[in-house]
Amino acid sequence: MNRLATLALTSLASAGLALLAACSGGSEADTGADLATDDASGSSDGSAEGSAEGSAAFLPLQPCELVRPELATPKLTIDGRQFRDALGRQVLLRGVNAGGRSKTAPFFPFPFAESGHPGQETAPAFDLAAETYVARVEAWGMNTVRLPIIWEAAEPARGSYDTAYLARVRALIEVFGRHGIRVVVDMHQDLFARAYCGDGAPDWALAAPVPPRPENEACEGWFMRYISDDAGQVFPAFDRFWQNGDGTRDAFRDMWTEVARQLWPAGNVVGFEIFNEPHPGSDNEEHWGRDVLTPFYTEVAAAIREVAPGAPIFFDTSGTDATDQTFFIERPDGGGMVWAPHYYDPRVFLGIPITESFSAMRPVTFLEEQGERWQVPVLLGEFGAKFANPNTPLYLRKTYDALDAFGLHSTAWEYSTDSFDWNLEGFSLVAPDGSERPTTEELVRVYPSVIAGSSDTFSFSKTARTASLSWRATAGGVTEVAMPSRLYPNGAVITVEGSERALCGRYDNPSGLLLLQSETDGGQSIRIAPAP
């Protein structure tokens, strides 16, 4: 007999989602939510899994006066292939990149009045703009952002660091922290520098003569310069950097040391990504990956950890690897490494129509298998497509489905709120005024944000809004399932099944989290579905 216990989350006009518990007995504890008996003679997804014995067959699931545990620090440690929080719980990072607009002055993903940038004079002040921007990420149910910062902004003159820029970056990071969002700091670049239609390096790090910066409109389709450097600019710039011409590689390492010194004290910074989408220049890719890029990562990681002890280090492969998944990099030396590749499906990138049969399992399986070989966590640092592409919502959905199958971390590309679109890329998940596009809805999903124990399996159907989670629970620990209330306007039914071990739960309206606690060690399994 399949014994069931049901929690119903009912939408209240004044309080969002509130918790209702159906129990076979026990008193109604004050959980901060209304309590009622749910008539659940069948399972929440309509399948015939109910008991003929009616409510007497329900597990005695008690509503809890459960609260999110306070952490000594939001920072994470790496345990094999898992991130763990200060309580030793398994953490799944899900979020967005913040964002493409950060690539050029004033180097933030939203406009703000103090920037001094033309066209931003009437924008909100930085503090208000940051709060509005960050609040959306929280409302989408996300717990992480990958925050691009730019070498040009951090070190505009050689050896002179822009403390005002870094202080403002730190301020934005702290706003994310107040909303419970962790930050991976990404040293971003494309095509090495703006002078070559990209972003990243300051002009002083380029070989003379430095060409004038091109107009934004002239740089549409910028990525093809990674394939064919007709202007003879991009490949030589990377060659010069990897060969440490004029000490630029040393300067980059020293810049990273200063950035890490200033940003690591922010409690919610959980790692540093050394170099976004590096490129071999004219070098043989196999030689470059093994003999240049791998030791480069090892060197810079060691420098960062001198000022940021224990910081997880995220490392990427080249931009072209994001489409063909061919690379020769090896795992950098040292512990605490996280592989942070990108994936852009060539069919979607080229606008070739896809259907429901489309699957991202093959490329995501490749990421999982490589992470297993290296024994490191895997964060899919970028994936996305143009918002005007009708395939983009389905592509995002299928990619998330594959990520869920392996429990992989991810940050979607990208979230900016500005009318200026870098290189006319057209990837922002929202409109310039912050209003949502069809792509935005695909970000809003249920996922196991924190597991007290270890996750076994998880799946979520965006169309049906149903989820299934199985885990090996640690007694007394609090598991947190991200469950944005907008997915369940009429409430949700949560079914606990397959175990007689006691489990209790509470939906926390402010955080959008379902909190669960097992009284004993061992297997637990829940299903989530919309209320009828």
Side-chain angles (χ1 to χ4, degrees), residues 417-462:
T417 56
D418 197 324
S419 58
F420 178 85
D421 182 17
W422 179 84
N423 286 3
L424 307 183
E425 194 173 52
F427 270 58
S428 182
L429 295 155
V430 300
D433 63 359
S435 57
E436 296 189 357
R437 291 174 165 146
T439 50
T440 315
E441 179 59 30
E442 297 302 329
L443 306 178
V444 184
R445 297 172 64 93
V446 175
Y447 65 95
S449 179
V450 181
I451 296 287
S454 59
S455 177
D456 287 336
T457 61
F458 174 74
S459 64
F460 174 66
S461 167
K462 180 67 177 179

Side-chain angles (χ1 to χ4, degrees), residues 375-508:
Q375 281 299 292
V376 295
V378 177
L379 171 96
L380 182 57
E382 291 185 20
F383 62 103
K386 290 182 178 290
F387 65 80
N389 185 338
N391 297 314
T392 299
L394 180 60
Y395 159 68
L396 292 174
R397 183 180 311 173
K398 295 289 190 172
T399 302
Y400 276 120
D401 289 347
L403 291 167
D404 286 345
F406 293 110
L408 296 186
H409 314 277
S410 66
T411 48
W413 185 262
E414 55 91 13
Y415 166 40
S416 297
T417 56
D418 197 324
S419 58
F420 178 85
D421 182 17
W422 179 84
N423 286 3
L424 307 183
E425 194 173 52
F427 270 58
S428 182
L429 295 155
V430 300
D433 63 359
S435 57
E436 296 189 357
R437 291 174 165 146
T439 50
T440 315
E441 179 59 30
E442 297 302 329
L443 306 178
V444 184
R445 297 172 64 93
V446 175
Y447 65 95
S449 179
V450 181
I451 296 287
S454 59
S455 177
D456 287 336
T457 61
F458 174 74
S459 64
F460 174 66
S461 167
K462 180 67 177 179
T463 52
R465 292 177 291 139
T466 56
S468 296
L469 170 66
S470 296
W471 75 105
R472 302 294 298 177
T474 297
V478 177
T479 288
E480 304 176 8
V481 179
M483 190 176 162
S485 60
R486 64 187 275 178
L487 292 173
Y488 302 99
N490 299 319
V493 176
I494 300 171
T495 307
V496 182
E497 54 191 339
S499 172
E500 296 189 6
R501 298 178 177 90
L503 185 74
C504 68
R506 172 180 174 270
Y507 186 83
D508 184 64

Side-chain angles (χ1 to χ4, degrees), residues 8 10 12 14-15 17-21 28-36 63:
T10 303
L12 303 180
S14 61
L17 291 176
L19 184 73
L20 304 176
E28 296 181 348
D30 180 10
T31 64
D34 296 338
L35 298 175

